[in-house]
Amino acid sequence: AITRIVAREIIDSRGNPTVEVDVELADGSTGRAAVPSGASTGAREAVELRDEDPARFHGKGVRRAVDAVNDSIADAVVGLAAEDQAAVDAALIELDGTPDKARLGANAILGVSLATAKAAALAHRLPLYRYVGGVDARLLPVPMMNIVNGGAHADNRLDFQEFMIAPIGAATFAEAVRMGSEVFHTLRRDLLSAGHSTGVGDEGGFAPDLRSAEEALDFVVRAIERTGYKPGADITVVMDPATSEFFRDGVYDYVGEGVRRSVAEHVDYLAKLVADYPVASIEDPMAEDDRDGWRSLMTRLGEHCQLTGDDVFCTNETLLREGIRDGVANSILVKVNQIGTLTETLATVGTAHRAGYTVVMSHRSGETEDTTIADLAVATGCGQIKTGSLSRSDRTAKYNQLIRIEEELGTQARYAGRDALGLRR
Ligand code: PGA
Ligand code: ZN
């Protein structure tokens, strides 16, 4: 049973405060989890509680969330069996009492939920991926490595937030990381010799001051080729334009490029990028409020491109069910802090899989050294993970954990490869 819960305020990869929680069991097993934080958040995400006290951390302090864990949450959860994750999470949800976890804070709740699972895994002497996923958990995800950062994650003029490479042709996860690392370094040299900055953005990708998606895609595809890989076959390209950030008054407002595109023009533009470049997957190609746009893009590209919903679903099972009904997306991005408990996260993944949607486990742009999502990607067998670039330890920590898991699984391990994206072409 859970005997003690302690929370503290630590800092994340952007230097902002976040919540870390230790959950201790009667046998001494202690699980620890740190909570991530997004910058381009969906409107219907669970709410992270911030102090709003301008005297500390520019108002971003999380002492109220920490106090919630140490006081009322501890009172409600100490004594419960850590193995009964559903009961612990139900207690957290009931204690909070709001639909978006705004009272205690999703940051407080998620820290407790994940630390509970990690403590229970330790008590059972199981790695987290095996404890959560069972004996079947042996599929290593394709990493989507974000090597060019724009949008809300960089101070450049790129309207699209993320340009990623996914080594679908690798034989193992470790080989996928090697391929990604090699391309990352080629890209660095290419940007440097073209006179661009090689400083990195929030997710560790380069943040050159490029003006258009085409310019970024040209650099990425050339780097893949110049490293000796075949774009599309060995390494495919993935984008997260994060369009909710620049959809205004029914128009996609490309501020950096200096172009406004109507919904139809934006759909045409994405279709042209998919035709001209080896792009196999686009996340948030349409804004969360543009459901008609989503449907029209699905008609246009849904058969041969993975179209992943992030802001439109917020890892929320109810929003996902509505999306499935309405023909929005064919894939879902899963971020544990968008919904706030492990139980709800796993329910969303299950619903997605049953509907034939692919699933991408994901970090946030604000991260910590916590590697829980690496284990969850293997536990759910989702086959894809997006956790940043080949630099910044907050990003590489997850890739390194997956290298360890692959080693531990030995001959049982399987690399998800090309099939994971559900590609039909
Ligand atoms: P966020 O970015 O964590 O800032 O929301 C990641 C994403 O949009 O996928
Ligand atoms: Zn996104």
Side-chain angles (χ1 to χ4, degrees), residues 37-41 153 161-162 203 240 242 283 310 333 335 362-365 386:
S37 176
S40 62
T41 50
H153 296 167
Q161 181 177 281
E162 305 174 20
E203 299 189 348
D240 178 7
E283 178 188 328
D310 171 10
L333 199 81
K335 293 164 163 170
S362 174
H363 65 164
R364 298 310 302 250
S365 52
K386 150 171 139 158

Side-chain angles (χ1 to χ4, degrees), residues 27 74 278 368:
D27 72 350
T368 68

